[in-house]
């Protein structure tokens, strides 16, 4: 029996043509696969290039040259968040971790630039983070927590949607750095006689206002929709399809479709009521700075999920009503109308689902500060 490897040796050209043709067809039919393939190829080639450059630089045995070349590469990588380049440079020359970028050590520059991938890498690979975080910088004015309290660069703020989630991201950074600074440094004064908390509030005043307005606008719009859903679901419960008998019992009480109508209408009423309460809780909130970390995103998440459930349940109740009313007379029109009721649910999911996913991920998902696959330095 001829094995696959033997076939490749016997028909190398045919095999190569088949492979290249297969990949071209796959790339044509699925552009996403092509993008993933190209990204992986570029990453692999970039790693080979970085390793080759590092080897050439290290073979000079000149500290000044190594420090200058690798240091400039690391400084650029911090700016753009290229953690792979930084990792290879640190492995090749561990002392580069102390390179100053604009007067700050590597981990502090990552905090200033809000590059969490770089921060996670240096945090994981080295043991000097506690020492660095407890030092004062800029002539003794600021410590690491003061730096984390300052407003992120504009291009790093826009990685999440909406001012409220941007405020949450800033609070996540501040709380992360707050974990490993000395307790005394949490209330330390800088050159402007301000604590880190005071710096954070001053720097984020405008973002806080924008976050409040964004939350209020979103909650107000959704409250109107959920209130209308409550009205319709409540009215439908007492005006059941087909009417009632003399004794007051619904005419279609023994039909399974009618039970579907009752259950879906009840779900619509309860979920829309929950949604309204959550959005009212947002509108009546004090909108303190710390509320944007967990309290407000949690209420908005529950409100959006409940609103989606209420809209979906309302459409199901409407479909059940159509089936009950039209099944005996106009059967051909019932099916298209039932299918059409899914359009509003689809549109709501299409428009609001990305925001909901981002809310759930940023509030309940994996933190932006997580363990990466990196080699640790001693």
């Amino acid at each position: 029996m001829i094995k696959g490897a033997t076939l490749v040796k016997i028909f190398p050209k045919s095999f190569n043509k088949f492979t290249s043709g297969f990949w071209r067809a796959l790339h044509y039919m699925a552009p996403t696969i092509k993008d993933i393939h190209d990204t992986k190829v570029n990453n692999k080639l970039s790693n080979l290039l970085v390793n080759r450059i590092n080897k050439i630089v290290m073979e000079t045995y000149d500290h000044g040259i190594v420090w200058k070349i690798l240091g400039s590469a690391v400084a650029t990588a911090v700016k753009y968040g290229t953690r792979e380049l930084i990792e290879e440079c640190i492995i090749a020359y561990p002392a580069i971790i102390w390179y100053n970028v604009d007067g700050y050590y590597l981990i502090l520059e990552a905090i200033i630039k809000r590059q969490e991938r770089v921060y996670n890498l240096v945090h994981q690979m080295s043991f000097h983070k506690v020492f660095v975080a407890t030092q004062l910088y800029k002539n003794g004015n600021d410590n690491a927590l003061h730096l984390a309290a300052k407003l992120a660069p504009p291009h790093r703020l826009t990685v999440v949607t909406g001012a409220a989630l941007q405020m949450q991201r800033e609070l996540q950074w501040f709380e992360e750095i707050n974990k490993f600074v000395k307790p005394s440094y949490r209330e330390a004064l800088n050159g402007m006689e301000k604590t880190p908390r005071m710096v954070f509030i001053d720097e984020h005043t405008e973002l806080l206002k924008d976050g409040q307005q964004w939350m209020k606008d979103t909650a107000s719009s959704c409250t109107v929709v959920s209130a209308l859903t409550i009205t319709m679901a409540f009215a439908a419960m007492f005006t059941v399809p087909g009417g009632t008998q003399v004794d007051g019992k619904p005419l279609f009480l023994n039909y399974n479709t009618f039970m579907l109508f009752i259950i879906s209408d009840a779900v619509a009423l309860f979920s829309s009521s929950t949604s309204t309460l959550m959005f009212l809780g947002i509108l009546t909130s004090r909108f303190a700075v710390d509320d944007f970390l967990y309290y407000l995103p949690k209420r908005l998440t529950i409100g959006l999920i409940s609103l989606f459930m209420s809209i979906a349940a309302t459409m199901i109740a409407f479909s059940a009503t159509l089936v009950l009313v039209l099944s005996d007379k106009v059967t051909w029109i019932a099916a298209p109308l039932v299918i059409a009721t899914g359009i509003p649910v689809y549109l709501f999911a299409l428009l609001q689902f990305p925001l909901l996913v981002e809310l759930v991920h940023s509030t309940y998902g994996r933190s932006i500060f997580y363990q990466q696959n990196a080699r640790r330095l001693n």
Side-chain angles (χ1 to χ4, degrees), residues 6-272:
T6 306
L7 288 174
V8 173
K9 293 180 181 178
I10 296 175
F11 306 105
K13 293 183 179 180
S14 300
F15 181 79
N16 291 335
K17 289 182 179 179
F18 172 78
T19 303
S20 60
F22 172 77
W23 278 108
R24 282 197 298 268
L26 190 62
H27 293 168
Y28 178 78
M29 293 184 293
T32 304
I33 296 178
K34 181 180 184 302
D35 294 338
I36 296 174
H37 175 264
D38 293 344
T39 301
K40 287 185 174 294
V41 170
N42 290 335
N43 288 341
K44 185 175 182 179
L45 294 177
S46 299
N47 288 335
L48 292 174
L49 178 61
V50 170
N51 290 333
R52 181 58 181 165
I53 293 175
N54 285 342
K55 184 178 180 181
I56 294 174
V57 172
M58 295 303 297
E59 287 176 352
T60 62
Y61 300 104
D62 188 323
H63 171 76
I65 294 177
V66 174
W67 189 260
K68 183 177 180 180
I69 295 177
L70 295 188
S72 61
V74 164
T76 304
V78 172
K79 180 179 179 181
Y80 294 101
T82 312
R83 62 169 293 274
E84 295 83 3
L85 174 59
I86 297 174
E87 181 177 4
E88 294 300 330
C89 291
I90 293 175
I91 294 299
Y93 193 65
I96 205 67
I97 206 167
W98 296 101
Y99 186 80
N100 282 344
V101 182
D102 297 331
Y104 297 105
Y105 290 129
L106 191 59
I107 194 170
L108 292 174
E109 187 65 15
I111 294 172
I112 296 172
K113 293 291 194 295
R114 294 298 194 272
Q115 296 291 353
E116 58 271 7
R117 297 179 74 238
V118 177
Y119 171 84
N120 292 335
L121 175 70
V122 182
H123 185 287
Q124 181 179 337
M125 291 184 69
S126 65
F127 292 103
H128 80 297
K129 56 183 178 296
V130 175
F131 169 75
V132 172
T134 56
Q135 305 306 302
L136 297 177
Y137 296 89
K138 293 295 183 183
N139 299 322
N141 290 338
D142 295 325
N143 60 35
L145 199 55
H146 284 105
L147 300 179
K150 295 182 178 180
L151 187 65
H155 70 282
R156 294 303 299 168
L157 277 177
T158 54
V159 296
V160 290
T161 304
L165 291 182
Q166 293 171 5
M167 191 69 181
Q168 183 189 47
R169 177 65 67 95
E170 290 289 272
L171 284 166
Q172 289 172 345
W173 268 101
F174 187 79
E175 293 299 324
E176 169 67 16
I177 308 304
N178 190 51
K179 291 178 182 177
F180 63 83
V181 295
K182 288 181 179 179
S184 60
Y185 278 70
R186 294 168 185 167
E187 300 297 329
L189 300 177
N190 62 4
M192 302 295 293
E193 298 296 319
K194 294 181 180 180
T195 64
R197 174 65 64 174
M198 295 167 63
V199 172
F200 186 92
I201 294 174
D202 291 343
E203 289 276 332
H204 294 81
T205 301
E206 292 300 321
L207 184 60
L208 178 62
K209 292 180 180 178
D210 294 340
Q212 292 174 352
Q213 191 62 44
W214 186 85
M215 273 285 183
K216 288 180 179 179
D217 292 342
T218 304
S220 298
S221 302
C222 294
T223 300
V224 174
V225 178
S226 59
L228 291 174
T229 306
I230 292 175
T231 304
M232 291 187 295
F234 187 82
M237 189 64 71
F238 295 97
T239 56
V240 293
T244 58
Q245 301 176 10
V246 178
D247 57 358
K249 293 182 180 180
L251 186 64
F252 295 121
L253 181 61
N254 296 324
Y255 286 67
N256 292 331
T257 307
F258 182 78
M259 296 307 299
L260 176 62
F261 163 79
I262 292 296
I263 293 173
S264 57
D265 190 69
V267 171
L269 179 61
F270 298 149
S271 58
S272 58

Side-chain angles (χ1 to χ4, degrees), residues 234-340:
F234 187 82
M237 189 64 71
F238 295 97
T239 56
V240 293
T244 58
Q245 301 176 10
V246 178
D247 57 358
K249 293 182 180 180
L251 186 64
F252 295 121
L253 181 61
N254 296 324
Y255 286 67
N256 292 331
T257 307
F258 182 78
M259 296 307 299
L260 176 62
F261 163 79
I262 292 296
I263 293 173
S264 57
D265 190 69
V267 171
L269 179 61
F270 298 149
S271 58
S272 58
S273 299
T274 302
S275 177
T276 303
L277 290 175
M278 290 296 104
F279 293 130
L280 287 177
I282 293 174
L283 292 174
T284 57
S285 174
R286 59 176 183 164
F287 289 102
V289 172
D290 292 334
D291 290 344
F292 285 88
L293 182 60
Y294 183 75
Y295 176 78
L296 291 174
K298 179 186 70 173
R299 293 200 169 190
L300 184 58
T301 301
I302 296 175
L304 287 175
I305 293 175
S306 301
L307 183 58
F308 176 79
M309 290 178 58
S310 67
I311 293 176
T314 301
M315 293 298 102
I316 294 173
F318 177 73
S319 301
T321 303
L322 287 177
V323 172
L324 285 171
V325 174
L326 301 177
S327 59
D328 294 335
K329 297 296 182 181
V330 199
T331 55
W332 62 270
I333 202 174
L337 287 177
V338 168
I339 295 174

